[in-house]
Each structure stands twice: as C-alpha cells, then as structure tokens.
C-alpha cells in the first residue's frame, strides 16, 4: 500500500489508521503549496488533485473517511470497528458525526480564511461557522465527560476523525473544545500509533524539503 499525503492535512487520519493496524506502507508527500496536487502525475492518481489517497494494488481510494473504513475492514483483527452490532453502530454514529456535523464548519472557516481564492472569501461568514462549530462540539464534550473513547470503552475509527477535528479546531484557535475534549486529545496523542503517524509525516516532509529546497 502507498499513502499520498502531506503533513498538516487530512492524511494524518489515514497514516494513524495504518499505524493502528500495524500495516507497512510507502508514503509519497504531495506538496500542495508547490502545486504538486495539480501535477499530471498526481492527477493520474486522483483527478481531483486532493489528498489523501490510498493506493492498494490497482485501486486509488480517495476520501479520508472511506479510506479509514477500508483499512478497518482489511485488518479486522485490529478491531478499529467493533464486531458487536450495537457497538459498531455507536462507532459509525460518532465517525459520521465528526465528518458531517463538525468538519464542515472547520472547513468553511479554513476556506474563507485562506483556502479559497481571495476574491471568493467572505470573512463575515466566520462568526456563523464558529457558532455552529461550538454547537456541534457540545455533544462530544458531554459524552467525553463520561467515556474514555468517543464511542464507548474501546478505541475505534471514530476516535481518529474526532481527534483530528478537535486538534484542527485548536490549531485554528477556535473556541469549542472544553476540558473533557482537551483531556481526550491528550490521551489520544499518547497512543504510539498517533505518534508514529505524526513522525512519519514529519520525516517525509523533511526528506522532500531537503531534496527540493523549501
Ligand atoms: N473530503 C475529502 C477532502 C480532501 C481534501 O480537501 N484534502 C485537502 C487537504 S486536507 C486537499 O487536498 N486540498 C487541495 C485542494 O483542494 O486542491 C477527504 O476527507 O479526503
């Protein structure tokens, strides 16, 4: 398998899942700021020019959520998805909650701060997105006050996307993550797989920057 990704992007979700299941994988850093997302070579992998992409044999799988679920299915022994049906439903619930209820507000803020072309940005939208984000984080804060993991008593795919969204909110200096969320982030960051994924993305970025010059 090969992961196309970059530091400080959604590819950390996939690298983390791969490390949790103990997979070995190649990694190609796609340096977006240098326009590599739009190169013909990368567009042959993902015509949308976006990361992450997981290449497995002839398949180039896009969408970080789909990729994580694929990894969970490919390595069932790692139990990133519980086998018991109700527990699995709870993991799906929080997985999709992060992706559909939390992430869109983070993404809207990022787009209107820097990701969209300047003439398409509307800074007046930020207070609305910030308010929606804070509202969406409230149930997460409540549940994390009662549980070690977001979906119950075991680590699942839902923890990967929830942690990523919460750390995204913190790095964007947004209000919302409360004490229970902060304690949870601290616990998740202690996981060896999280640390290995961060180290891999940092190393690959440094190698590329040394080779190409920053
Ligand atoms: N829904 C997609 C979003 C992918 C995405 O937007 N990735 C960003 C990096 S985190 C990207 O490649 N942006 C480049 C662009 O939009 O041209 C996913 O979760 O994988």
């Amino acid at each position: 398998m090969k992961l196309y990704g970059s530091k400080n992007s959604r590819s950390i979700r996939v690298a983390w899942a791969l490390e949790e299941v103990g997979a070995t994988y190649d990694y190609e850093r796609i340096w977006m700021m240098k326009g590599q997302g739009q190169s013909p070579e990368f567009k042959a992998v993902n015509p949308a020019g976006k990361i992450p992409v997981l290449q497995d044999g002839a398949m180039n799988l896009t969408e970080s959520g789909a990729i994580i679920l694929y990894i969970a299915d490919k390595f069932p022994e790692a139990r990133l998805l519980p086998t018991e049906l109700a527990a699995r439903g709870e993991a799906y619930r929080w997985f999709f909650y992060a992706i559909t209820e939390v992430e869109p507000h983070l993404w809207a803020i990022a787009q209107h701060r820097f990701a969209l072309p300047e003439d398409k940005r509307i800074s007046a939208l930020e207070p609305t997105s910030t308010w929606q984000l804070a509202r969406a984080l409230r149930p997460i804060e409540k549940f994390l006050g009662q549980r070690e993991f977001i979906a119950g008593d075991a680590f699942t795919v839902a923890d990967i996307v929830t942690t990523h969204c919460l750390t995204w909110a913190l790095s964007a200096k947004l209000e919302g993550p409360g004490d229970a969320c902060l304690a949870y982030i601290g616990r998740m960051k202690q996981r060896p797989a999280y640390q290995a994924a961060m180290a891999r993305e940092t190393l690959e970025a440094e190698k590329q920057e040394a080779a190409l010059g920053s």
Side-chain angles (χ1 to χ4, degrees):
M1 285 185 290
K2 177 172 171 180
L3 171 59
Y4 294 85
S6 190
K7 204 173 170 231
N8 298 326
S9 81
R10 292 172 180 87
S11 63
I12 187 63
R13 298 171 170 181
V14 177
W16 186 2
L18 287 167
E19 296 288 347
E20 287 285 349
V21 301
T24 47
Y25 56 100
D26 295 326
Y27 186 105
E28 184 168 334
R29 200 265 181 118
I30 304 298
W31 199 348
M32 289 298 175
M33 302 296 277
K34 295 272 182 192
Q36 290 181 348
Q38 299 303 316
S39 72
E41 295 78 19
F42 185 61
K43 285 276 195 92
V45 175
N46 181 7
K50 293 191 175 208
I51 51 170
V53 180
L54 184 71
Q55 194 168 69
D56 193 9
M59 179 178 67
N60 287 321
L61 191 59
T62 65
E63 289 304 320
S64 58
I67 301 170
I68 296 167
L69 292 176
Y70 175 80
I71 292 167
D73 283 336
K74 188 174 166 99
F75 297 89
E77 63 286 353
R79 296 179 65 91
L80 291 184
L81 277 170
T83 45
E84 195 268 318
L85 192 58
R88 183 174 282 233
E90 195 68 4
Y92 284 145
R93 168 193 181 184
W94 291 105
F95 179 84
F96 286 104
Y97 187 83
I99 285 180
T100 66
E101 295 289 331
V102 179
E103 184 177 331
H105 308 306
L106 292 164
W107 186 216
I109 292 165
Q111 282 178 309
H112 291 286
R113 278 187 184 176
F114 59 83
L116 285 170
E118 257 178 75
D119 64 331
K120 302 282 184 286
R121 296 179 204 163
I122 305 172
S123 57
L125 292 176
E126 180 158 330
T128 303
S129 295
T130 306
W131 178 81
Q132 287 179 289
L133 175 70
R135 202 167 66 136
L137 291 181
R138 249 175 256 146
I140 294 183
E141 177 71 17
K142 177 168 177 264
F143 276 79
L144 286 177
Q146 303 155 5
R147 301 170 160 183
E148 184 176 354
F149 301 98
I150 187 62
D153 56 10
F155 181 86
T156 67
V157 289
D159 291 299
I160 295 176
V161 286
T162 303
T163 303
H164 180 251
C165 287
L166 291 173
T167 54
W168 183 349
L170 290 185
S171 67
K173 307 214 177 324
L174 297 165
E175 286 177 20
D179 290 346
C181 287
L182 295 177
Y184 169 75
I185 292 169
R187 290 196 297 280
M188 292 301 113
K189 285 189 167 179
Q190 295 294 316
R191 291 182 74 81
Y194 177 86
Q195 293 181 3
M198 289 294 285
R200 180 77 186 265
E201 293 216 307
T202 301
L203 177 73
E204 298 289 350
E206 285 171 356
K207 271 191 337 204
Q208 191 193 42
E209 282 159 32
L212 297 181
S214 49

